[in-house]
Amino acid sequence: MCGIIGYVGNDQQAVEVILDGLSKLEYRGYDSAGLAVVEEGRIFVDKKSGKLSNLKESLKEKVHLANVGIGHTRWATHGVPSDINSHPHCSCDGKVAIVHNGIIENYSALKSELIGKGYKFISDTDSEVVAQLFSYFYNGDLLETLKKVTERLRGSYALGIIHEAEPEKIVCARKESPLIIGVGKNSNFIASDVPAILKYTRDVIFLENDEIGILEKEEVKVYDKNLNLIDKKINKIQWDMEQASKNGYPHFMLKEIEEQPEVVNKTLEFYTKEDGKEKLTDLFEEIDFSKVQEIDIVACGTAYYAGLQGANYLKKIAQFRSNVEIASEFRYSDPIIDERNVVVFVSQSGETLDTLMALRLAKSKGAKTIAITNVVGSTISREADVVIYTLAGPEISVASTKAYTAQVITFYLLSLEIALKLNKITEAEYKNYILKAYNLSGKIEEIFDSKEKIKGIAETIKDKRNGFYIGRGIDEKVAREGSLKMKEITYIHTEAFPAGELKHGTIALIENDTMVVVVATQKDMVEKVVSNIKELKARGAYIISITKNSYKDIIDVSDEVLAISDIDDILAPVLAVIPAQLLAYYTAVAKGLDVDKPRNLAKSVTVE
């Protein structure tokens, strides 16, 4: 995987369009980039490991008057990052070029079969087998050939394919890996994500599993796996490239951190009315929560940590038993779920493959499913029984910030709606909870006044090699997210765990100047956390505390304090994550790292 762009038009600028599209997909994370265009009846390929700039430099002295082509940014799964392993891959006769996201699970068997038929492979990838297989089956009909190819593939794929025998066409297919078709005027596109084509069109077709598309400059057709023509809906994308640009910020991550007050208010305003009544009506038409015994939450990474906060809200507000599981583990843990369960699946992209497969398992067992996602039309949003969209807008930085906050606020509102419907809270209590939430945006903005202080702390810790994040209760869940941010973009190894567990082994690792970030926002935990800090200080630890302005006892025993305003304990963790995000951001900046595109990471993880 990671990013796909394809173009067919009539203005002979395929290289320009593809390079522009790939630049819009850089946020997904990648280790190489390449393109293939059809020019004068022949396929030309150029691909380079490293950044997209390497590919641009290679193409700089060449003139290509091509109007059909495909491009790719690769995140390595099979084979090390290298020019040879980069996409596109070609058949050994050079007549076919393909780009592929996903994993071909039976590639080894197919490769052996094709080698036996005289085909020669040059890369270590699973993807090259698709190009060779397409060449083997090609009979003058792109659609029929692609049908035969996909029937032989086992695994996941989003495919874009060109053949020099039919130089005005692109064929594509998808299974478990996202692919869209952009519909333009005298030009059409394929892409793995909307930003790649948003400069050229807002009209998009979302391909479903096992669908095959064929694109010419003036026509797009989509077929099912048996090549029956499908009448596909064209969707209009509502956001524009300005929302996906830096707007003067040095990095997308900082811009997205500072968009969080707006995201909170937008979410509250959309899902509540002025009179405080619920707006999530579809949820209760589909699910009778009075018959639900348990609400499970399944997600990966940052979304998983948002789910931990969500479980806290479901327990405290809606009085629902709730479990949170990592999606990649869920399918293999023999989950005990049936029609009495509701399972909530959280994914910013709506394409996280582990989460998608877990959703399908839950549905097969009879559970009702809810998707919380940021991307309209994503696979998870289409397959869940109910979808609740977060309103974060496009999130470009690989490290999630505003999408996390939007997910947490969505869980807060979901818990309130369920509690109100089941008479766990009164109408007056509901309105009070909503009013408290409206205080959040202003208090988040106050944290931004501390950026210079946070920069100073970042300079102090930038050369640390490891550290710890601790908290108690819900604060420990915030500590996990803070730790993940620090790991993702600074490459400093940090570990998060409950503060009470210090004495059960981890304190052996504390020595002079060991960095420990303490999250302490809950009033009933202050005395316990102070004791934990003193245990750490006695062994020389350097303490950075994220705590409320009024918690003087914690402030007095800390080396550095990132203070948040006083707010109700139930919402304080939403505030506490903001300084943790900024601390990670400024530490990465101080280290001179690529903040928005950390090494080895991808924005949308579409492989298991």
Side-chain angles (χ1 to χ4, degrees), residues 123-143:
S123 80
D124 299 318
T125 70
D126 57 327
S127 304
E128 187 183 357
V129 75
V130 179
Q132 307 285 25
L133 196 60
F134 198 95
S135 174
Y136 173 71
F137 280 126
Y138 183 67
N139 60 358
D141 186 323
L142 292 174
L143 284 174

Side-chain angles (χ1 to χ4, degrees), residues 51-62:
K51 295 299 183 183
L52 179 60
S53 57
N54 295 341
L55 176 64
K56 291 180 177 179
E57 184 66 24
S58 176
L59 291 164
K60 191 167 62 175
E61 303 301 324
K62 302 165 187 173

Side-chain angles (χ1 to χ4, degrees), residues 78-93:
H78 292 64
V80 299
S82 69
D83 290 357
I84 289 175
N85 287 333
S86 304
H87 292 224
H89 288 287
C90 293
S91 56
C92 54
D93 62 6

